[in-house]
């Protein structure tokens, strides 16, 4: 699926009206300046978009492999399916999220900004019930007004980059492991 008009967006919806439906790609790449995803039975996509939002309601996971930088906006990355995971992994791209990234139950949350010059910047909630939260970006992870919450583990790996939070980003987790060139621990609670 390709949408090249700079002012347009692409919306993919599966599972309306109580039906269970999934959004998947067996191969290929979904491209669009802006992508909205909504499913009841899971989302598994390869994307190359500027901005994206994905919500899943009933069963399955959200798994997105993104080529290049991505801005998570609108409804965020939210999986309401019990124990369903949320995963956004870029190849050579930074991740900026201004809206929640959430899983429920034992669902894990994984954000990975691939490539040596890329980072993760989040200014909204990141959370799950008892699953793990993993943030990986070689050029740093920054949380600004981004509370982190799980009874599970919280793992951050920034390689040579910095890990930085502000006072509006409390981290309330079962256990935390942060590997970074420099670490600002404002608000960590374990």
């Amino acid at each position: 699926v390709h949408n090249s008009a700079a002012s347009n967006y692409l919306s993919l919806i599966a599972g309306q009206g109580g039906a269970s439906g999934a959004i998947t790609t067996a191969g290929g790449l979904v491209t669009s300046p802006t992508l909205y995803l909504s499913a009841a039975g899971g989302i598994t996509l390869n994307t190359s978009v500027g901005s994206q939002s994905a919500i899943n309601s009933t069963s399955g996971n959200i798994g997105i492999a993104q080529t290049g930088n991505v801005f998570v906006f609108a409804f965020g990355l939210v999986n309401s399916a019990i124990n369903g995971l949320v995963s956004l992994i870029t190849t050579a791209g930074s991740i900026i999220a201004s809206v929640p990234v959430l899983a429920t139950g034992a669902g894990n949350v994984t954000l990975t900004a691939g490539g040596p010059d890329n980072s993760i910047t989040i200014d909204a909630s990141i959370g799950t019930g008892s699953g793990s939260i993993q943030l990986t970006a070689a050029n740093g992870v920054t949380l600004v007004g981004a509370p982190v919450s799980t009874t599970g583990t919280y793992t951050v790996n920034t390689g040579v980059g910095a890990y930085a939070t502000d006072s509006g980003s409390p981290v309330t987790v079962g256990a935390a492991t942060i590997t970074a060139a420099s670490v600002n621990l404002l608000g960590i609670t374990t």
Side-chain angles (χ1 to χ4, degrees):
V1 177
H2 176 71
N3 178 6
S4 63
S7 62
N8 287 341
Y9 66 90
L10 179 62
S11 181
L12 302 176
I13 301 170
Q16 283 188 319
S20 64
I23 300 171
T24 63
T25 53
L29 196 61
V30 176
T31 62
S32 178
T34 304
L35 178 63
Y36 294 92
L37 303 167
S38 176
I43 299 168
T44 304
L45 283 182
N46 300 318
T47 63
S48 179
V49 299
S51 302
Q52 71 179 246
S53 174
I55 56 173
N56 185 54
S57 61
T58 306
S59 65
N61 301 314
I62 295 175
I64 299 170
Q66 161 73 15
T67 300
N69 297 330
V70 66
F71 176 60
V72 178
F73 78 121
F75 309 111
L77 298 176
V78 178
N79 194 349
S80 299
I82 298 298
N83 301 326
L85 64 82
V86 173
S87 175
L88 173 59
I89 299 173
T90 71
T91 56
S94 291
I95 298 170
I96 298 174
S98 64
V99 288
V101 178
L102 303 171
T104 57
N108 297 330
V109 173
T110 302
L111 300 179
T112 301
D117 300 322
N118 296 303
S119 60
I120 296 173
T121 303
I122 301 173
D123 60 0
S125 301
I126 311 164
T128 181
S130 60
S132 66
I133 298 173
Q134 183 171 352
L135 307 178
T136 304
N139 202 30
V141 171
T142 302
L143 305 179
V144 179
V148 177
S149 176
T150 181
T151 59
T153 60
Y154 175 55
T155 304
V156 178
N157 187 345
T158 66
V160 297
Y163 172 77
T165 67
D166 70 354
S167 60
S169 302
V171 176
T172 306
V173 297
T177 302
I178 299 170
T179 305
S182 64
V183 177
N184 174 339
L185 292 178
L186 283 178
I188 293 279
T189 304
T190 60

